[in-house]
Amino acid sequence: RILYCDLRDLDMALEYCDVRCEQWESKKRRSRFRASTITDDSESDPYLPLVKVALASGDQKEGVDAAIKVLSLRRDVMDCGAALRLLPGDLPLSRIARPFLIPAVVDEESEVRQMKVTAALLRASYVRLKKELTDAQIESQASLRSVPAFKSLGLGELIRTSKSFRARPVHATSSSFPDVTITKHYFPRYLVIQAKITNSAVSALSGEGRALADVSFVVAESSDEALTPTLTVPLKTLPTRSTGSVWCALAASPQRLDDIAVIACELRYTVLNVDATTGAPLTFGGGSATVGLGQTYVEELRDLEVRPSDFE
């Protein structure tokens, strides 16, 4: 009041309010106050008292002009809504359009553009990180000795590895069914089945590639108790036109195998949409994260046969 009414200096009054504003922000940082818990506008917004003083001065036109100037100069730090409500109700919109409303709208549009750019950059960074994580998992499961999950099993020395062969589905499959190549690795106490998956799935509508999520090779049933499923190693995400390996380990007791054992196998996976620009999945696999965001398939494969002589 002294600076504006007595000294007639709006600039000095604004500088005083600026100091009060900095003190208030510093107090909030130190005390971790929330602005919503403050009910005293004069304390939380040091510019509102100046607007009130200007409007209460003797000259109404000069006071309104001063209040609008405060709004225009400090619109980025003050409570503009509260300040606008202090203005006379019969004030023409044209009085505040040029000095306040138009610049405020321009500022908001600029902020929206900046937020869109920031969001695009963050999404690009997210997609890049996810791709790196996916590539790292695929690489870590590419070969028998590189699978981290097998270290706890103590597989022992490899006895033999079968020739690779293409897995055949029992029934007609969907258009998204990938190419599956099976390889059996025999150890003294384990049978490890490697399913190398090549994702060639495409959308029937757009013809674009489709990413696969939660890809796993599962032994659904064994005809002999000497072969028991122990560990399944899935792939969380398999991008379009990529190849990765999923694994299934069975505890084996070769001496208890009477004859040929038959194991029933399934390939399970979820088909996701992919980003048309980056080729990255629009959603990444992981349990409930894919619910409602892709089609899940369970494809029954031709049975596999295991003989006691395979362990010799």
Side-chain angles (χ1 to χ4, degrees):
R1 180 182 297 274
I2 295 176
L3 294 173
Y4 178 78
C5 295
D6 297 343
L7 300 181
R8 313 293 296 173
D9 194 329
L10 178 60
D11 292 336
M12 287 187 63
L14 272 174
E15 290 179 6
Y16 172 76
C17 293
D18 291 341
V19 173
R20 290 285 309 278
C21 183
E22 292 177 2
Q23 292 174 345
W24 172 248
E25 291 297 330
S26 177
K27 181 181 178 181
K28 285 200 300 183
R29 287 193 296 268
R30 289 196 309 268
S31 304
R32 301 184 182 276
F33 285 163
R34 290 185 179 180
S36 60
T37 63
I38 305 300
T39 58
D40 187 354
D41 289 339
S42 64
E43 183 181 1
S44 62
D45 191 334
Y47 300 97
L48 291 181
L50 177 57
V51 173
K52 293 178 182 178
V53 167
L55 293 174
S57 62
D59 190 330
Q60 182 181 15
K61 181 180 182 304
E62 182 181 350
V64 170
D65 289 343
I68 293 175
K69 185 175 181 180
V70 173
L71 269 168
S72 175
L73 295 176
R74 298 297 185 269
R75 61 179 178 271
D76 56 334
V77 293
M78 67 180 298
D79 187 347
C80 295
L84 287 172
R85 288 190 291 270
L86 295 175
L87 298 176
D90 58 351
L91 184 69
L93 186 62
S94 58
R95 289 282 301 277
I96 61 174
R98 184 180 295 275
F100 171 67
L101 291 181
I102 294 177
V105 170
V106 171
D107 288 347
E108 289 297 324
E109 290 179 348
S110 177
E111 185 176 353
V112 169
R113 287 195 296 270
Q114 291 178 3
M115 292 179 66
K116 287 181 177 179
V117 171
T118 301
L121 292 174
L122 289 174
R123 174 167 177 77
S125 177
Y126 170 80
V127 169
R128 178 182 57 78
L129 179 59
K130 280 294 186 180
K131 183 179 184 303
E132 290 176 357
L133 292 174
T134 299
D135 291 344
Q137 186 192 17
I138 292 175
E139 183 178 356
S140 71
Q141 296 182 194
S143 62
L144 179 64
R145 295 299 183 182
S146 66
V147 181
F150 288 158
K151 294 180 180 179
S152 61
L153 291 182
L155 295 176
E157 292 295 327
L158 178 65
I159 297 175
R160 61 184 295 269
T161 295
S162 71
K163 292 183 178 180
S164 299
F165 58 94
R166 189 172 182 179
R168 302 289 182 181
V170 174
H171 308 291
T173 62
S174 67
S175 59
S176 59
F177 184 76
D179 295 328
V180 183
T181 301
I182 301 295
T183 305
K184 292 180 284 186
H185 306 276
Y186 296 91
F187 293 85
R189 295 185 296 110
Y190 289 97
L191 166 62
V192 177
I193 302 175
Q194 176 185 8
K196 184 175 289 187
I197 313 297
T198 299
N199 179 12
S200 55
V202 295
S203 169
L205 297 177
S206 65
E208 295 181 348
R210 308 290 295 276
L212 303 182
D214 300 323
V215 185
S216 60
F217 179 87
V218 178
V219 172
E221 186 178 3
S222 171
S223 66
D224 197 313
E225 294 181 354
L227 292 173
T228 306
T230 302
L231 178 66
T232 299
V233 183
L235 271 175
K236 191 173 184 180
T237 307
L238 185 62
T240 182
R241 295 181 293 276
S242 297
T243 299
S245 291
V246 294
W247 305 78
C248 183
L250 296 88
S253 300
Q255 67 277 9
R256 293 172 53 196
L257 283 172
D258 297 329
D259 199 355
I260 299 176
V262 178
I263 52 180
C265 306
E266 297 174 346
L267 184 69
R268 302 177 184 179
Y269 57 93
T270 299
V271 180
L272 305 175
N273 292 322
V274 299
D275 189 297
T277 303
T278 64
L282 296 178
T283 180
F284 292 86
S288 60
T290 61
V291 175
L293 299 176
Q295 180 67 43
T296 298
Y297 295 90
V298 178
E299 307 281 9
E300 186 178 352
L301 304 177
R302 296 283 179 88
D303 294 342
L304 301 181
E305 295 182 350
V306 180
R307 297 172 172 81
S309 59
D310 292 331
F311 291 89
E312 298 177 355

